[in-house]
Amino acid sequence: MTSAPHPSLDLAIVGNCSFAGLIDKMARIVWCCLPRFDGDPVFHGLLGSNGDPADGAFAIELEGVVRSEQAYLENTAVVVTRLFDGSGNAIEITDFAPRFRTKGRMFRPTALVRRVRPIAGHPRIRVRCRPRFAYGARDPEMTFGSNHMRFVGNGLTLRLTTNASITYVRDETPFLLDGPISLYLGPDESLTNHPETLCRDFEDQTVHYWRTWTRRLGLPLEYQEAVIRAAITLKLCTYEETGAIVAAVTTSIPEAANTERNWDYRYCWLRDAFFVVRALNSLSEMETMENYLRYINNIASMTNGDHVQPLYGIALEKTLVERTVDLPGYRGMGPVRVGNQAYEHFQHDVYGNIVLGASQAFFDKRLLRQPGVDDFERLETIGERAYALHDQPDAGLWELRTRARVHTSSSLMCWAACDRLAKIARQFDRRDRAELWQRRADQIHATILERGWNPEVGSFVESFEGKDMDASLLLMTEVRFLPANDPRFIATVEHVGATLRRGNHLFRYHAPDDFGAPENAFNICTFWYIDALVRIGRTEEAREIYETMLACRNHVGLLSEDTTPATGELWGNFPQTYSMVGIINGAVRLSRSWESLV
């Protein structure tokens, strides 16, 4: 078993499907990009500051604080933090981003609400609101009114409206908290009501929204709290306006200490998004798939049968030039990168991920808009690329920057694209197209069996005619390439475990890459291993590993991308959608059925 996670990623996420913020256990907002996920981090304290350590954060400080408690309101994205001093005084801070239906549409302003109230004694607090602009390089110009402060930056102006003394807030003066106060940080607009009244109403409606959303989920019998938190977190990583899904809300939290494996994940990887959609579909949450279909339909139309990038910006941006900015980095471990060079890569699994992400929609009668033949024909252009590239070298799903091979996992997803297109064609009674896609799927299938299997190793391997192992081989049964009882799949699961498992964690691969040998386990790979173990009948072993992973979550149930096997310390961007997907998939796979109890 691993020890408790390292406190540095003890963060809670709030958001409303247009932006997100991260709040530490002392109620400091240390990360928030505006006006959307990939925007300027007006609060960047998570990645340090080149000035005062308090810059780039929004803190509510209790004088003499000695301990804190933090949790979500049950079945919501509303965070409650309690701070206690050594003299019996205490405060409660409630944080959320408003999200609810009003006037027939979703209300999701680019705004953070902070409600503060005394819960014991006579606490004294200090409010420090210090947004910065241009990745910390520019201090805001500030102006003041009777109940608000304005922070003017480069193309963005924020207004903090409050019923607290604006002089105390402006001067960061400690004051006695003798009643509730609310702070509304959002666009440069006047509020339509008293801050306390409006923020209380927004809280009530936001809580109602999330509890209603959660109530509609089709949950497994076991691990319900973990699944609910994972599902809400995945929802928070969707950009509702376009349907995009970000891989994480942060940039440049390193995969391991001092490795410079620091990447910007605030974009939509089509591979990651497919797994998010699939996980939420398994809980009967269909809205995310419907929104995502709009996004991938735009990509299919935009590319028109040509190259598809592995990732795009959340508003379909193609060019995501990678650069570094002048911030110290997470725990001083730079560089801090903006943009991601992977947009230039050729990663052929992307074609399968697009088709897989859309395929359920062609069979699911619950959707408000049923895909038609024109949608199928648009997907066929993606399939043509999959077929043409199934045996060509690429960077692979692990995005190797200096090495290209014919990766088995990429070919596997190209097969999945052709296989699902054959099934969709039959749904429309397009027999000629169904036969064409089935022939192509069969051809790729035979190629993988011949070239992806290494008889000397006794296993499928990470690239054609290769010998190294790769955790993505565990997906062969997940995408129905082979049945779970196929001896070749069983042998591959056993060989992956023998090669890549460290304790109850799994590495992506073991061969050195552009940055040397991997140092930390990749959480989604551990969850893939759990799934594969259950499929081949090693259920109790899988359950033990799954519960180890649950123990690695932070105090509010979130996971990052990577884990140090020996300590359980979390590394990598946060919260990582891939990892939260694994929590859902593992619970669905392992849980007893409802029929066993009711």
Side-chain angles (χ1 to χ4, degrees):
M1 294 290 290
T2 55
S3 61
H6 192 280
S8 295
L9 282 177
D10 274 354
L11 305 167
I13 182 173
V14 296
N16 62 7
C17 305
S18 61
F19 79 103
L22 297 177
I23 304 168
D24 71 12
K25 291 180 78 171
M26 301 306 292
R28 296 186 312 141
I29 299 175
V30 294
W31 185 257
C32 182
C33 299
L34 294 175
R36 61 187 208 181
F37 292 110
D38 58 353
D40 190 3
V42 295
F43 298 122
H44 55 75
L46 183 64
L47 299 183
S49 169
N50 288 319
D52 189 306
D55 290 349
F58 187 174
I60 311 290
E61 299 174 355
L62 172 66
E63 281 196 343
V65 64
V66 294
R67 67 181 181 91
S68 69
E69 299 171 355
Q70 189 174 67
Y72 284 101
L73 286 182
E74 186 178 31
N75 297 349
T76 76
V78 178
V79 176
V80 176
T81 310
R82 291 177 173 175
L83 303 179
F84 303 85
D85 70 13
S87 303
N89 303 304
I91 63 172
E92 180 180 88
I93 303 150
T94 301
D95 287 296
F96 64 96
R99 177 177 173 83
F100 50 86
R101 287 203 165 275
T102 183
K103 299 179 181 178
R105 61 183 178 179
M106 190 62 68
F107 178 67
R108 40 177 167 76
T110 309
L112 288 164
V113 174
R114 315 204 74 184
R115 304 192 64 217
V116 190
R117 68 184 184 97
I119 57 174
H122 304 283
R124 286 171 54 83
I125 69 168
R126 184 198 310 265
V127 178
R128 296 186 193 268
C129 185
R130 296 191 187 180
R132 296 295 181 262
F133 297 97
Y135 288 84
R138 177 175 171 181
D139 293 346
E141 299 176 15
M142 290 190 286
T143 62
F144 312 94
S146 56
N147 297 105
H148 74 268
M149 299 171 58
R150 296 170 70 247
F151 304 91
V152 181
N154 48 334
L156 180 68
T157 299
L158 300 175
R159 180 187 290 232
L160 177 66
T161 306
T162 181
N163 60 313
S165 162
I166 204 69
T167 300
Y168 292 163
V169 174
R170 178 191 65 194
D171 297 341
E172 300 181 354
T173 302
F175 62 94
L176 183 67
L177 183 68
D178 54 7
I181 64 170
S182 290
L183 302 107
Y184 185 98
L185 181 68
D188 188 21
E189 302 166 355
S190 298
L191 298 188
T192 57
N193 206 335
H194 186 278
E196 181 66 16
T197 303
L198 181 137
C199 292
R200 182 173 61 247
D201 176 60
F202 280 10
E203 179 185 347
D204 291 343
Q205 294 196 65
T206 299
V207 167
H208 177 74
Y209 165 80
W210 284 112
R211 288 181 172 162
T212 301
W213 183 86
T214 301
R215 190 177 63 185
R216 295 196 298 263
L217 297 177
L219 296 174
L221 173 60
E222 298 180 83
Y223 308 113
Q224 289 187 40
E225 291 182 1
V227 169
I228 289 170
R229 183 52 48 206
I232 291 174
T233 304
L234 293 180
K235 186 68 173 177
L236 291 176
C237 291
T238 65
Y239 187 61
E240 192 166 57
E241 180 184 336
T242 65
I245 304 169
V246 296
V249 305
T250 60
T251 178
S252 302
I253 301 179
E255 295 178 12
N258 299 306
T259 59
E260 299 193 6
R261 296 177 186 262
N262 302 13
W263 316 116
D264 190 350
Y265 277 14
R266 299 172 298 160
Y267 309 110
C268 184
W269 270 259
L270 304 183
R271 174 190 315 112
D272 302 46
F274 153 64
F275 282 101
V276 171
V277 167
R278 191 179 183 98
L280 290 176
N281 284 354
S282 75
L283 303 178
S284 298
E285 200 283 317
M286 312 307 298
E287 186 180 47
T288 299
M289 179 173 69
E290 290 184 289
N291 286 337
Y292 180 61
L293 286 174
R294 293 188 290 113
Y295 185 77
I296 60 175
N297 278 334
N298 271 295
I299 288 173
S301 175
M302 180 172 67
T303 54
N304 195 29
D306 291 331
H307 168 65
V308 177
Q309 298 171 192
L311 71 154
Y312 291 86
I314 59 177
L316 301 174
E317 295 88 352
K318 294 181 181 179
T319 304
L320 305 170
V321 176
E322 189 174 295
R323 61 188 176 92
T324 60
V325 295
D326 186 23
L327 282 171
Y330 174 72
R331 292 161 59 178
M333 300 176 196
V336 173
R337 292 187 170 98
V338 177
N340 198 299
Q341 188 218 337
Y343 83 91
E344 299 177 339
H345 288 187
F346 290 82
Q347 297 176 25
H348 299 155
D349 67 309
V350 68
Y351 302 102
N353 288 311
I354 290 175
V355 176
L356 286 169
S359 60
Q360 180 171 329
F362 288 89
F363 302 92
D364 197 320
K365 298 303 182 184
R366 293 173 292 178
L367 302 191
L368 295 176
R369 177 188 175 275
Q370 297 292 319
V373 172
D374 57 332
D375 297 291
F376 165 63
E377 292 173 347
R378 189 180 299 116
L379 269 190
E380 283 193 298
T381 66
I382 300 296
E384 292 290 349
R385 293 287 294 178
Y387 176 66
L389 296 169
H390 75 271
D391 59 355
Q392 299 301 305
D394 73 344
L397 83 164
W398 304 126
E399 301 181 343
L400 302 175
R401 295 190 168 203
T402 60
R403 185 179 73 205
R405 296 176 179 172
V406 182
H407 290 91
T408 305
S409 60
S410 296
S411 189
L412 174 69
M413 290 300 177
C414 291
W415 167 83
C418 297
D419 177 78
R420 299 315 192 268
L421 285 169
K423 290 177 170 60
I424 296 169
R426 293 187 195 103
Q427 178 77 353
F428 289 116
D429 201 27
R430 300 286 295 271
R431 296 182 183 178
D432 56 332
R433 304 306 296 171
E435 291 173 0
L436 171 68
W437 288 114
Q438 192 60 60
R439 284 197 306 272
R440 290 177 169 180
D442 292 345
Q443 178 188 340
I444 300 173
H445 196 280
T447 300
I448 294 172
L449 293 181
E450 178 184 353
R451 301 183 61 191
W453 175 265
N454 184 320
E456 294 181 5
V457 176
S459 169
F460 287 101
V461 287
E462 58 92 28
S463 60
F464 286 4
E465 288 85 43
K467 61 181 181 179
D468 292 327
M469 298 307 297
D470 176 346
S472 63
L473 298 168
L474 298 170
L475 294 172
M476 284 185 161
T477 297
E478 165 84 10
V479 299
R480 300 197 300 276
F481 180 82
L482 288 176
N485 62 358
D486 189 294
R488 292 165 295 189
F489 179 69
I490 295 172
T492 299
V493 174
E494 292 174 346
H495 202 68
V496 165
T499 307
L500 302 180
R501 183 174 174 178
R502 305 289 185 275
N504 279 347
H505 300 270
L506 208 75
F507 281 60
R508 288 173 284 184
Y509 45 80
H510 60 87
D513 59 18
D514 311 331
F515 291 82
E519 295 184 24
N520 281 335
F522 202 73
N523 291 331
I524 188 57
C525 297
T526 306
F527 288 114
W528 289 344
Y529 187 56
I530 291 166
D531 181 85
L533 289 177
V534 176
R535 291 177 187 269
I536 66 172
R538 293 161 59 180
T539 303
E540 290 312 307
E541 182 181 358
R543 186 180 294 275
E544 178 191 340
I545 298 171
Y546 182 73
E547 292 180 356
T548 295
M549 291 304 297
L550 292 186
C552 287
R553 296 173 302 156
N554 74 4
H555 66 296
V556 289
L558 307 183
L559 281 175
S560 63
E561 181 184 52
D562 308 273
T563 301
T564 301
T567 65
E569 185 174 357
L570 297 177
W571 291 91
N573 282 312
F574 181 90
Q576 175 76 358
T577 54
Y578 247 163
S579 301
M580 304 310 291
V581 162
I583 292 172
I584 294 173
N585 290 349
V588 170
R589 181 66 57 192
L590 286 164
S591 176
R592 292 174 292 136
S593 71
W594 282 94
E595 293 177 354
S596 69
L597 186 66
V598 298

